[in-house]
Amino acid sequence: SDKKKVAMDDLQVSALAASATILIFSAIYWTVQIQSVREMLEMAY
Amino acid sequence: MSTASLGSYYRTIITVAVVLLATAFLFSSLRVDAWVGLKPFFEWMGTTWFGVIGTTWGAVFAVVQAFHLLAMALMGGAIIVSDGRLLGLGFSEMDEREVLDKSHTIFSRSLAVVLLTGIFMACGVAMKIYYLEVYWYKMLALSVGILFTYGIKKPLLAKSLDDISPLVRRAVALSSLVVWFSVAGAGRWIGFSG
């Protein structure tokens, strides 16, 4: 039914939105962390 | 898009609202206020039975930590199996529904062990973790992981798997892997700090 299709769409759209948020924030966080470790290693060695 | 059809996307609207509110909280002074306000709670944690045992008997702390890490490993295995299956990277000879359901059961039980042992360990090193930035990133990732798994991934996969678009399947599996490996990575970072 159309009603079920919309409900599925809602689940999938919310899953995509949440996934995109997680992937973007994780990429930023780990890039910053790796960069800070790289700077620490450069200062040490 | 009419109001009626907007109402059909209530889950998406709630998800976006939660993301915006959390982002606003993280980038505002409220975050620092909350951190300062939590200090008495962390000081109290150190005075509880868990805190006293954790700081007095190192062997007890080490045994609890061993169970914490074993449960984390079990959780990681369950995530690799379920998300690997969703990504089509393995276990294709097994029924997909069975793989997802059984791995979710293992995941939930090991998460319970992780949380219980984690609370004990947090009491033992309460003031150390209070001042560790990476601890708060771990708690953020853990909260996001739990909300994502039980609020997004589980309801999505409860539907007929054939109705889920390949893009959504891959995005959900990849972000699940990323968020839980971020929790594990931040946890190890705490272990090597201070």
Side-chain angles (χ1 to χ4, degrees):
Chain A
S1 70
D2 283 342
K3 194 176 178 183
K4 191 174 179 186
K5 265 186 183 170
V6 169
M8 277 300 294
D9 283 347
D10 180 29
L11 267 172
Q12 294 193 53
V13 172
S14 64
L16 264 183
S19 298
T21 305
I22 286 171
L23 292 173
I24 290 166
F25 274 83
S26 297
I28 293 168
Y29 173 72
W30 286 111
T31 302
V32 169
Q33 291 302 320
I34 290 166
Q35 187 61 34
S36 72
V37 169
R38 186 179 286 177
E39 283 170 8
M40 263 194 325
L41 289 173
E42 277 178 6
M43 280 173 64
Y45 300 106
Chain B
M1 190 181 282
S2 70
T3 312
S5 64
L6 258 181
S8 304
Y9 286 86
Y10 74 96
R11 189 183 286 266
T12 303
I13 292 165
I14 289 170
T15 302
V16 172
V18 167
V19 167
L20 291 175
L21 282 172
T23 307
F25 173 79
L26 290 173
F27 290 99
S28 72
S29 60
L30 280 174
R31 180 175 58 94
V32 178
D33 294 342
W35 180 70
V36 171
L38 279 170
K39 191 177 180 184
F41 177 71
F42 275 75
E43 287 169 340
W44 170 80
M45 277 169 68
T47 64
T48 60
W49 274 102
F50 282 176
V52 172
I53 292 169
T55 48
T56 310
W57 292 287
V60 176
F61 187 90
V63 169
V64 173
Q65 189 174 41
F67 279 101
H68 187 74
L69 295 175
L70 283 169
M72 280 291 276
L74 198 57
M75 238 171 88
I79 289 159
I80 288 170
V81 168
S82 69
D83 292 336
R85 185 69 176 85
L86 283 172
L87 288 167
L89 295 176
F91 315 102
S92 52
E93 71 283 358
M94 294 173 70
D95 176 56
E96 188 169 40
R97 169 60 60 201
E98 190 182 6
V99 169
L100 294 175
D101 287 349
K102 285 185 175 176
S103 59
H104 183 77
T105 303
I106 293 170
F107 170 85
S108 293
R109 288 174 184 174
S110 50
L111 177 63
V113 175
V114 162
L115 292 175
L116 287 172
T117 52
I119 290 168
F120 175 88
M121 288 164 61
C123 290
V125 288
M127 292 319 290
K128 171 193 165 183
I129 57 175
Y130 176 77
Y131 288 108
L132 269 182
E133 195 180 356
V134 72
Y135 167 76
W136 296 102
Y137 281 119
K138 181 183 176 176
M139 289 303 103
L140 174 65
L142 180 66
S143 306
V144 169
I146 290 172
L147 281 174
F148 181 74
T149 301
Y150 294 99
I152 300 281
K153 187 181 169 190
K154 183 75 173 122
L156 178 75
L157 299 180
K159 301 281 182 184
S160 171
L161 296 168
D162 295 332
D163 292 340
I164 304 170
S165 93
L167 172 67
V168 173
R169 285 168 66 109
R170 290 194 189 103
V172 165
L174 191 61
S175 45
S176 170
L177 282 167
V178 165
V179 78
W180 288 110
F181 275 84
S182 292
V183 173
R188 285 292 65 219
W189 204 305
I190 292 170
F192 291 118
S193 301

